Amino acid sequence: MKTKVSIPFMLAGILFTVCLIISNLLETKVIRLGFVTATAGLMVFPVSYIINDCIVEVWGYAKARLVIWIGFAVNFLVVGLTQLAILMPPAPYWEGEAAFNFVFGLSARIVVGSLCAFLVGSFINAWVMSRMKVLSDGKYFSLRAIVSTLAGESADSIIFFPIAFAGIISWDNLLVLMATQIVLKSLYEVLVLPLTIRIVRVIKRIDGCDAYDRHISFNPFELSSRDGD
């Protein structure tokens, strides 16, 4: 039996994965926005949570779970290949070795922290979005998107920063950095919410899909992509 994959779902999954890869690369640059210090990944990473919300809203938690694991696997592959490239001897005339190693030579702590935080935050975001949709009978999308993103982003920051920077950055500064990231990323969601709402409406109309996860397993390790009822 052939299984059809809708074009909107395929594009959402690709964009989700691309945003994760780009955000990890941009994390190596620290930027200054007025009086706020953050990483350049802030520009892209929240988009993955917005896409997560859209996938859960239209196709359900099971489809979001599948995309999350694909995103994790691809990011793991990218990290592995970049570390392998660093270990390979450079050509004698290559002058960019130091810069290349600086950008791609992430420490083991940052890699572990990033991957763990991504998994936990993404699944919490998807679970909250899914449960709130059923409990609200599909109403209040804006509230559900904001609450789920706040929950997911909070878990992401609480896990990532201590693993990656404990002992390197003081706890006072870590707490400020964590709170700043949570607020800014959640604010990002609020600012683009009008666009998110329109995109969800268009996808639902094109795909004819509006999943409700009433009879599915929320086990993150079950890879079935069966839609919610």
Side-chain angles (χ1 to χ4, degrees):
M1 181 178 67
K2 295 183 179 179
T3 301
K4 294 183 178 180
V5 176
S6 74
I7 292 178
F9 175 70
M10 181 180 66
L11 292 177
I14 292 172
L15 184 58
F16 178 83
T17 304
V18 169
C19 286
L20 292 176
I21 295 172
I22 294 175
S23 66
N24 282 337
L25 295 178
L26 296 182
E27 287 296 305
T28 56
K29 179 171 182 176
V30 179
I31 60 176
R32 185 78 173 180
L33 301 172
F35 60 89
V36 177
T37 300
T39 59
L42 181 66
M43 298 186 298
V44 181
F45 186 71
V47 177
S48 66
Y49 277 80
I50 296 171
I51 298 172
N52 194 337
D53 287 341
C54 293
I55 292 175
V56 175
E57 175 69 17
V58 178
W59 297 287
Y61 177 88
K63 288 291 197 303
R65 176 174 54 201
L66 179 64
V67 171
I68 289 170
W69 279 115
I70 291 174
F72 174 82
V74 172
N75 271 275
F76 188 84
L77 178 64
V78 170
V79 170
L81 291 176
T82 53
Q83 298 310 302
L84 178 61
I86 289 173
L87 294 175
M88 298 175 71
Y93 54 83
W94 169 247
E95 298 179 355
E97 184 70 4
F100 183 90
N101 291 347
F102 178 80
V103 173
F104 294 105
L106 301 176
S107 70
R109 289 179 61 178
I110 292 180
V111 171
V112 171
S114 177
L115 293 178
C116 290
F118 157 69
L119 280 180
V120 175
S122 296
F123 276 119
I124 288 178
N125 180 83
W127 181 83
V128 171
M129 187 72 179
S130 174
R131 298 314 299 149
M132 287 187 68
K133 180 175 183 179
V134 172
L135 292 174
S136 66
D137 197 26
K139 301 176 182 177
Y140 316 118
F141 173 78
S142 297
L143 176 63
R144 290 187 280 112
I146 293 171
V147 172
S148 62
T149 296
L150 182 60
E153 295 286 10
S154 297
D156 184 281
S157 295
I158 290 171
I159 292 172
F160 172 72
F161 286 103
I163 293 177
F165 299 114
I168 300 174
I169 300 176
S170 69
W171 276 103
D172 288 345
N173 289 329
L174 263 182
L175 291 175
V176 171
L177 190 56
M178 290 161 59
T180 300
Q181 293 279 326
I182 292 170
V183 171
L184 290 179
K185 289 177 180 178
S186 299
L187 181 60
Y188 195 121
E189 167 85 38
V190 174
L191 292 176
V192 302
L193 195 53
L195 178 60
T196 305
I197 293 172
R198 287 173 173 77
I199 291 174
V200 166
R201 288 174 179 170
V202 170
I203 294 175
K204 284 183 177 180
R205 185 171 66 250
I206 294 174
D207 241 28
C209 188
D210 189 8
Y212 285 79
D213 298 319
R214 294 191 175 95
H215 305 292
I216 70 163
S217 169
F218 287 96
N219 181 356
F221 299 103
E222 182 177 327
L223 297 183
S224 169
S225 61
R226 184 174 66 87
D227 293 330
D229 297 325

